Amino acid sequence: MQRFLTLSILIICLIPTLSFGQKVVERYENGQKKYQGRTKDNVNIGTHTYWHENGEKSKEEKYNDLGALLRLREWDESGELTKDERPEEALEILRREQFQNMRWIAKDGISFHKLRGKNDLQQKTDHQRLVIHYATYLENGKEIDNTFRKKVPLPVDMRARSLIEGFIRGLSYFELKDNGYIKVPYDLAYGKDGATGVPGYSTIYFHVLVLRAE
């Protein structure tokens, strides 16, 4: 019974750490808080707050669980608000415009556009394994996932069936050091039912950087 209670307490204590990430607090020499925030998987999450040495709030950043900066506010030492921005909303608009203006090459049911590499590549590569960084977006520019932020690349077995079909098809046209985008229609992505954070019938955009190819 004692062992069960000890294990239960340990699990309860660990859950906040796993759910909310690591909390960081910095203080001035006078003991006044200078900064407080949380990180998870090497990215900022939640609210990050900074204070002037006089105790007035100097800056507040709000991040989503992917590490995208949703809102930024700044105050002067008298407490007057000097800045109020929503960076991620601006990025979503910019991404949407970029997606619309890219010169897509259609091939094998998907489309791709390379920022670096051969955009006229019309033959599939024979790579069996890749290591990549990628970010995933909806057509409206909303970010769904991002390994660039986490600084943890993804190993990809090109023969595996665990990744969506359109993504693997697109990757088959990418070489080592290629940097570009893959556009995948809904029927080669998450279908009519969608997935967590992805509505049904969604076209998916992947930003891909190939770090290793074998």
Side-chain angles (χ1 to χ4, degrees):
M1 182 66 175
Q2 180 63 37
R3 182 180 179 184
F4 174 77
L5 290 174
T6 302
L7 180 59
S8 298
I9 293 172
L10 177 61
I11 292 173
I12 292 171
C13 292
L14 284 175
I15 287 175
T17 301
L18 294 173
S19 300
F20 302 109
Q22 179 182 2
K23 181 178 180 181
V24 178
V25 178
E26 297 178 5
R27 296 183 180 273
Y28 289 103
E29 291 184 1
N30 62 9
Q32 173 66 40
K33 275 188 179 180
K34 181 179 182 180
Y35 161 78
Q36 178 174 303
R38 293 184 182 275
T39 62
K40 183 178 181 181
D41 297 330
N42 299 315
V43 299
N44 292 340
I45 60 172
T47 301
H48 289 242
T49 307
Y50 302 77
W51 289 268
H52 293 290
E53 198 165 0
N54 65 2
E56 290 285 348
K57 186 184 293 185
S58 67
K59 184 167 64 173
E60 183 178 83
E61 302 166 340
K62 290 189 176 182
Y63 297 86
N64 63 15
D65 289 342
L66 296 174
L69 182 56
L70 302 179
R71 190 173 187 183
L72 169 64
R73 293 191 291 175
E74 295 182 0
W75 295 263
D76 60 24
E77 293 189 18
S78 65
E80 182 178 350
L81 183 66
T82 59
K83 180 184 289 188
D84 191 350
E85 300 176 349
R86 299 177 185 272
E88 186 60 20
E89 288 185 8
L91 282 175
E92 288 178 3
I93 294 172
L94 179 60
R95 291 184 196 119
R96 184 165 64 245
E97 293 175 349
Q98 288 178 329
F99 295 156
Q100 293 171 350
N101 294 327
M102 284 178 180
R103 299 181 64 181
W104 296 100
I105 294 177
K107 192 71 176 178
D108 201 21
I110 55 89
S111 302
F112 60 83
H113 172 89
K114 293 183 182 178
L115 305 174
R116 177 178 180 178
K118 295 181 179 179
N119 264 312
D120 59 351
L121 179 65
Q122 296 295 304
Q123 298 296 323
K124 290 186 177 181
T125 67
D126 58 358
H127 301 308
Q128 299 298 308
R129 295 179 180 83
L130 301 177
V131 177
I132 66 171
H133 269 307
Y134 76 95
T136 312
Y137 306 102
L138 297 179
E139 197 162 21
N140 62 8
K142 182 179 179 181
E143 183 177 295
I144 302 301
D145 197 7
N146 192 325
T147 66
F148 292 95
R149 297 186 191 278
K150 300 173 184 177
K151 299 180 177 62
V152 180
L154 175 73
V156 178
D157 183 345
M158 297 294 288
R159 297 163 298 183
R161 298 184 178 182
S162 56
L163 298 176
I164 66 174
E165 182 179 353
F167 184 46
I168 294 295
R169 286 192 190 183
L171 283 178
S172 69
Y173 292 93
F174 275 62
E175 296 275 11
L176 177 64
K177 297 184 179 180
D178 277 2
N179 181 0
Y181 289 82
I182 301 169
K183 179 168 67 172
V184 181
Y186 81 91
D187 55 316
L188 293 175
Y190 296 101
K192 63 181 182 180
D193 296 323
T196 302
V198 180
Y201 298 99
S202 290
T203 297
I204 304 297
Y205 294 77
F206 293 93
H207 180 197
V208 175
L209 173 63
V210 181
L211 303 175
R212 191 162 65 219
E214 299 174 352

